[in-house]
Amino acid sequence: MLPRGQNLLGYRHYEDMVVEKFVEKSAENGMDIFRVFDALNDPRNMEQAMAAVKKTGKHAQGTVCYTTSPLHTTERFVSLAGRLLDMGADSIALKDMAALLKPQPAYDIVRGIKERYGEDIQVNVHCHSTTGVALVS
């Protein structure tokens, strides 16, 4: 499942109790892996959903959403992965929603995460393919 943090599966911001109950019921009904993300990479919007997943004992995958700008550096993506691991993430996803991720930045971010937090950290790269770059990334 790909819950949008505090927004769950939609675009409305839900209160903490709703997030917790939604995750609990989803887990009871067969969801095993929750790839929690926030399109703006704001960990505050992922915190409650991550905690709810951890409470159920299911796999919490903390997600770093890739984009490009002067503020979006390899270092910031790697640091965000660390915050997600601190929140209890069982693995990390590098999510390329806009199909902007090229091979070198993909390598640099994954390598940075593994060098800083351990080679055994599972990192999944999730690419959309609208630009045709996904297969090489």
Side-chain angles (χ1 to χ4, degrees):
M1 179 177 284
L2 301 172
R4 293 179 173 101
Q6 204 71 25
N7 297 63
L8 296 174
L9 303 180
Y11 298 103
R12 181 181 182 279
H13 203 78
Y14 294 98
E15 65 179 80
D16 292 351
M17 184 181 72
V18 173
V19 172
E20 187 168 328
K21 201 60 152 171
F22 178 84
V23 170
E24 177 188 316
K25 289 299 179 187
S26 296
E28 282 178 17
N29 286 290
M31 288 296 137
D32 291 326
I33 301 170
F34 293 80
R35 180 177 286 170
V36 180
F37 76 101
D38 178 73
L40 298 176
N41 284 328
D42 187 343
R44 297 171 300 175
N45 286 332
M46 295 185 268
E47 193 169 25
Q48 184 63 35
M50 292 282 288
V53 174
K54 296 304 291 179
K55 188 175 178 181
T56 67
K58 301 297 184 177
H59 186 100
Q61 187 171 68
T63 304
V64 175
C65 293
Y66 182 79
T67 192
T68 59
S69 83
L71 296 176
H72 293 92
T73 64
T74 298
E75 174 56 34
R76 287 182 74 154
F77 291 130
V78 171
S79 293
L80 176 58
R83 292 222 21 215
L84 297 170
L85 291 166
D86 289 344
M87 289 169 27
D90 297 300
S91 64
I92 298 294
L94 177 59
K95 182 176 173 68
D96 178 26
M97 302 177 293
L100 299 172
L101 185 62
K102 293 187 173 134
Q104 191 63 54
Y107 175 84
D108 293 343
I109 294 166
V110 172
R111 173 75 359 235
I113 292 168
K114 289 185 167 281
E115 283 177 354
R116 185 170 303 166
Y117 306 111
E119 290 293 326
D120 58 335
I121 299 292
Q122 177 184 338
V123 180
N124 295 103
V125 179
H126 172 129
C127 296
H128 291 222
S129 193
T130 54
T131 60
V133 180
L135 289 176
V136 295
S137 293

